[in-house]
Amino acid sequence: MSDSDRTGAAPGRPRSEAARQAVLEAVDDMLVEIGYAAMTMKGIAQRAGVGRQTVYRWWATKAEILLEASSGDADHELASPPRADPADDLAGFLTALATFLTVSPAGLGYRALLGEAQHDPAVRDLVRDADLLGRAARTVLDRVRPHAPAMPEARLASAQLTGPVVALVLETGQPLPATMLAEHARILISAWRNDRPADGNGVS
């Protein structure tokens, strides 16, 4: 029986978009319930209530599905409002990043993909090309750059900003204290401003 026979819907975009959204939601649920390794395209289709060919119409692998599900949520979950102080601006983004990685289902999906990327070149390429964290980081970095003349080019600056947080979350699986995130932001701003002590003794 075709998807349209099961749903009673006429062929067309509304039915297709509904099926597509069901697949994305199914992947989020299955990730929490059984983990990335246990997911299969057949299982995803069954959970979403669609035919397997419907799934393959949009994605070739489960990694592609999970990345799209994570990316869509990340775009708004990693957004942080501008703040007048550059260090506070960075800290606001870092707070959103830490929450995304430790609380959000989308962040859990991203972490699963990072793990898979370590031994699957195809997943590595997907994660690299999507640049999920880098996209979000560049928004706040562009706001801060006028106040940080020593900030490196965008890709390195993004790695300096997000890398320590990602590493700590992957190592501990725990939320990071706000004081730690604020200190990281302060250290980066100081370095990117090229702040130096007034004399060689480190006393201003």
Side-chain angles (χ1 to χ4, degrees), residues 171-184:
E171 288 173 0
T172 67
Q174 301 296 319
L176 304 181
T179 53
M180 179 185 294
L181 300 174
E183 178 69 2
H184 177 42

Side-chain angles (χ1 to χ4, degrees), residues 8-73:
R13 185 174 179 82
R15 178 191 59 80
S16 296
E17 286 302 311
R20 180 174 168 276
Q21 187 60 37
V23 171
L24 295 174
E25 293 174 358
V27 166
D28 279 345
D29 293 341
M30 293 174 72
L31 181 67
V32 174
E33 294 173 11
I34 64 174
Y36 178 82
M39 286 194 293
T40 64
M41 295 292 272
K42 178 181 179 180
I44 293 167
Q46 291 175 337
R47 179 62 178 262
V50 302
R52 206 182 320 181
Q53 289 307 310
T54 296
V55 178
Y56 281 111
R57 185 180 306 158
W58 291 296
W59 306 279
T61 66
K62 62 182 181 179
E64 291 182 7
I65 306 174
L66 186 56
L67 181 62
E68 182 171 334
S70 297
S71 182
D73 290 336

Side-chain angles (χ1 to χ4, degrees), residues 87-146:
D88 290 343
D89 211 355
L90 292 184
F93 170 77
L94 292 172
T95 299
L97 173 61
T99 301
F100 173 76
L101 292 172
T102 57
V103 176
S104 167
L108 178 61
Y110 179 72
R111 288 167 55 187
L113 289 169
L114 285 182
E116 189 70 12
Q118 304 314 300
H119 56 82
D120 186 331
V123 177
R124 178 199 62 208
D125 291 347
L126 280 173
V127 172
R128 179 199 63 212
D129 293 345
D131 194 22
L132 189 150
L133 299 188
R135 292 200 317 260
R138 281 192 290 274
T139 299
V140 67
L141 290 172
D142 287 345
R143 297 198 301 253
V144 167
R145 188 174 290 276

